[in-house]
Amino acid sequence: MAALSFSAAVAQWADKVGGAVEAIFKEATHEVVEEMQKPIEQGGRMRVDTGFLRASLLASSTSMPAINASANPVAGGTYAADFGQIEAVIVGADIGDTLYFGYTASYAGHREYGAKQPADGFVRLAAQNWPLIVDRRASELKARLGL
């Protein structure tokens, strides 16, 4: 989301409180990624079998992580998502930065958009919730600060 759009979405009070805009940006970004990763069993949109797709998520501040055509789960394997790399990119970001979050599993596009299966839309629908998440995070921060 462009810095101008983000600034317009955040209440004017946040501009007057040091660090508030940055905190809202980072907390909202974190929440969008959590929403992308949320399994159907927990109220999300991502079907999880082995966890390979969830574990393939990468973040970057320079370019979209690419799908790897040969990245597939090993038969019988299970995979745990590691939020460390994602969190490092979010923490290191500045307000004007564009952040990219992409799945590298070979079938990521098929699961997002559907191909011989229903589309999950876990990325698109989480991204569509960005304005609501920003508003919620701004309200929460305002309440924590007693404003």
Side-chain angles (χ1 to χ4, degrees):
M1 175 163 276
L4 202 60
S5 297
F6 179 76
S7 297
V10 177
Q12 289 181 352
W13 66 266
D15 286 331
K16 298 174 184 162
V17 177
V21 172
E22 180 178 2
I24 294 165
F25 168 70
K26 290 180 180 183
E27 289 177 15
T29 302
H30 185 99
E31 187 173 335
V32 167
V33 174
E34 284 181 340
E35 191 170 320
M36 288 167 44
Q37 291 279 81
K38 190 181 293 183
I40 289 172
E41 295 79 26
Q42 296 174 8
R45 298 196 52 88
M46 182 180 279
R47 289 178 281 149
V48 177
D49 182 23
T50 65
F52 187 80
L53 178 60
R54 292 180 80 224
S56 79
L57 180 65
L58 293 177
S60 174
S61 59
T62 56
S63 64
M64 179 60 77
I67 290 177
N68 178 347
S70 63
N72 290 295
V74 173
T78 58
Y79 303 84
D82 178 9
F83 209 76
Q85 188 270 340
I86 307 298
E87 191 62 31
V89 171
I90 294 170
V91 168
D94 291 322
I95 290 293
D97 291 349
T98 298
L99 299 181
Y100 303 90
F101 300 95
Y103 293 90
T104 61
S106 63
Y107 55 92
H110 299 292
R111 291 285 293 279
E112 174 68 17
Y113 297 104
K116 300 181 185 175
Q117 61 184 326
D120 291 341
F122 48 89
V123 175
R124 291 174 290 154
L125 294 172
Q128 286 176 3
N129 287 331
W130 173 254
L132 299 171
I133 292 170
V134 169
D135 287 346
R136 181 172 48 247
R137 289 301 179 162
S139 294
E140 290 171 0
L141 180 58
K142 191 173 182 179
R144 283 195 316 252
L145 296 174
L147 300 173

